[in-house]
């Protein structure tokens, strides 16, 4: 595959160059703001995010109609921001194939060719499952996307197993099939570096060598962490649980504990040679900046983001 994009006489590095290159990538996830105030906060934060030189920024896709439209709007807005390469999350749950084709065609018309292909989950506040779409699994969505144009496609990895999966080896098999069709993967968040490295060993033993970016989160609220962990299957180590509980009476200390946990995990992962770090930013620019600053020795200065 030609990883270089021609722009005039210059060859520009793509995401895949970064993920296969000598230096780790740095990327983050944002969600589309839900209120005008949150939207204003995000607009103010964009220049700070650009300063981090992220390899890419991925934008989540919600379960409901209006939040889905907001994903499209934010992705297209970021696509025109110098220094930010957006990846649009897209889920197949609750969508017909015709709708998915139309969404992909709209992205192509807007010049967006980077997608994170997912099955989808209900929002955190809901216990109800999402209605099925015509495609049951993310791997089918990868096939559809690849057939619709020159897309770079990332998929979700679940190092501790997908919570709905009853058989870890079957889950691994489905994941490897999915990643084989896609370009790279981003993991669900986890809290122990061994979780990632053991998972990578299992994937590599299936002869799949595509990049798998570890996703990390700075836990700053116990209730949402517990809810998210139930949904994602991530095990919260007792020591982290105790540290967060011990700091729970003071939001400032709680945030510090969460960010320090994320930094320590990121450093251990980078020392172990991961292809990059993907931060579930929860739209907290301050925490993301702090994490990036604390791992700066792993990144050569002056490196540009991908195109
Ligand atoms: P799949 O890969 O389809 O797997 C789902 C389950 O089906 C697994 O148990 C798997 O083992 C099983 N399976 C897969 N293929 C087969 C098959 N052929 N036969 C039988 N069983 C099979 N959710 C959102 O709603 N919006 C988002 O923006 C979003 N972003 C995310 C980003 C990342 C990086 C991650 C890790 C997760 C994200 N999620 C998001 C959550 C995700 O949608 C859920 O984890 C969802 O439950 C599964 O999605 P998946 O793409 O991994 O599904």
């Amino acid at each position: 595959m030609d990883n270089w994009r021609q722009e005039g006489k210059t060859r520009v590095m793509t995401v895949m160059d970064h993920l296969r290159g000598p230096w780790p990538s740095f990327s983050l996830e944002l969600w589309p703001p839900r209120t005008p105030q949150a939207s204003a906060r995000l607009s103010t934060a964009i220049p700070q995010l650009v300063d981090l030189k992220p390899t890419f920024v991925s934008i989540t896709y919600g379960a409901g109609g209006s939040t889905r439209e907001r994903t499209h709007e934010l992705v297209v807005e970021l696509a025109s921001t110098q220094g930010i390469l957006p990846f649009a999350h897209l889920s197949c749950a609750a969508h017909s194939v015709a709708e998915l084709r139309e969404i992909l065609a709209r992205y192509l018309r807007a010049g967006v060719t980077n997608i994170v292909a997912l099955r989808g989950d209900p929002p955190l506040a809901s216990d109800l499952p999402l209605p099925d779409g015509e495609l049951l699994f993310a791997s089918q969505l990868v096939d559809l996307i690849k057939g619709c144009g020159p897309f770079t496609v990332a998929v979700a990895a679940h190092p501790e197993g997908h919570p709905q999966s009853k058989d870890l080896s079957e889950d691994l098999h489905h994941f490897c099939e999915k990643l084989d069709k896609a370009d790279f993967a981003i993991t669900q968040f986890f809290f122990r570096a061994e979780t990632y490295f053991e998972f990578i060993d299992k994937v590599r033993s299936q002869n799949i060598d595509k990049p798998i970016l570890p996703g990390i989160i700075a836990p700053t609220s116990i209730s949402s962490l517990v809810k998210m962990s139930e949904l994602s299957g991530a095990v919260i180590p007792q020591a982290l649980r105790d540290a967060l509980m011990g700091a729970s009476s003071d939001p400032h200390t709680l945030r510090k504990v969460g960010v320090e946990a994320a930094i320590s995990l990121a450093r251990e992962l980078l020392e172990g040679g991961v292809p990059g770090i993907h931060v579930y930013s929860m739209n907290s620019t301050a925490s993301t900046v702090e994490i990036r600053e604390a791992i700066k020795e792993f990144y050569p200065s002056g490196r540009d983001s991908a195109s």
Side-chain angles (χ1 to χ4, degrees):
M1 177 171 56
D2 183 9
N3 280 329
W4 291 84
R5 202 162 59 76
Q6 194 78 33
E7 221 169 63
K9 287 193 173 165
T10 320
R11 303 248 289 163
V12 182
M13 272 185 97
T14 66
V15 165
M16 296 315 295
D17 294 321
H18 278 276
L19 301 189
R20 295 269 187 214
W23 309 111
S25 65
F26 182 81
S27 53
L28 59 126
E29 179 189 279
L30 295 175
W31 58 51
R34 296 187 187 106
T35 62
Q37 292 85 344
S39 187
R41 270 201 304 277
L42 183 59
S43 297
T44 314
I46 296 295
Q48 282 173 279
L49 297 179
V50 171
D51 284 349
L52 299 180
K53 297 188 190 306
T55 313
F56 65 90
V57 174
S58 79
I59 317 298
T60 63
Y61 194 64
S66 63
T67 68
R68 290 179 157 186
E69 194 50 35
R70 282 205 289 272
T71 298
H72 183 91
E73 285 162 12
L74 181 58
V75 167
V76 172
E77 185 192 326
L78 290 178
S80 64
T81 306
Q82 188 69 33
I84 296 226
L85 178 73
F87 261 73
H89 292 209
L90 178 60
S91 59
C92 57
H95 265 313
S96 68
V97 166
E99 285 167 344
L100 292 166
R101 283 187 192 283
E102 176 51 28
I103 292 166
L104 292 165
R106 278 177 81 199
Y107 276 133
L108 274 181
R109 287 197 293 275
V112 174
T113 54
N114 296 309
I115 305 281
V116 182
L118 302 147
R119 192 198 60 189
D121 261 345
L124 270 187
S126 166
D127 291 329
L128 296 174
L130 282 183
D132 282 342
E134 282 178 43
L135 305 183
L136 293 181
F137 303 113
S139 59
Q140 297 169 302
L141 181 59
V142 178
D143 287 333
L144 181 79
I145 298 170
K146 288 284 185 184
C148 282
F151 288 100
T152 301
V153 182
V155 290
H158 306 273
E160 293 174 89
H162 186 268
Q164 283 158 10
S165 182
K166 292 182 184 70
D167 182 332
L168 279 182
S169 63
E170 244 182 64
D171 194 46
L172 178 71
H173 170 72
H174 293 314
F175 170 70
C176 289
E177 272 187 349
K178 176 172 75 170
L179 181 55
D180 202 23
K181 299 172 181 185
D183 295 293
F184 69 100
I186 305 170
T187 74
Q188 187 53 272
F189 62 81
F190 56 88
F191 297 106
R192 293 165 57 250
E194 303 88 85
T195 304
Y196 172 86
F197 291 117
E198 284 163 16
F199 175 68
I200 294 297
D201 284 348
K202 288 186 205 151
V203 176
R204 300 300 179 232
S205 74
Q206 304 297 306
N207 294 321
I208 304 285
D209 77 341
K210 300 219 171 134
I212 301 177
L213 288 178
I216 64 163
I217 195 166
T220 50
S221 149
I222 293 169
S223 56
S224 70
L225 178 65
V226 167
K227 183 85 187 162
M228 284 191 302
S229 298
E230 275 168 14
L231 201 61
S232 69
V235 175
I236 312 171
Q238 194 58 44
L240 178 61
R241 217 179 254 270
D242 292 346
L244 291 168
M245 284 304 281
S248 60
S249 59
D250 173 20
H252 178 74
T253 317
L254 183 61
R255 184 182 163 280
K256 193 164 175 278
V257 169
V259 170
E260 275 169 7
I263 290 171
S264 142
L265 178 58
R267 295 186 68 85
E268 212 180 327
L269 290 164
L270 286 161
E271 277 155 12
V274 293
I277 293 288
H278 185 73
V279 177
Y280 289 100
S281 80
M282 316 285 285
N283 284 20
S284 167
T285 314
S287 303
T288 310
V289 169
E290 242 174 274
I291 293 169
R292 176 64 177 78
E293 178 63 20
I295 54 175
K296 67 181 175 197
E297 81 257 31
F298 293 93
Y299 295 87
S301 59
R303 218 173 44 95
D304 286 333
S305 52
S307 299

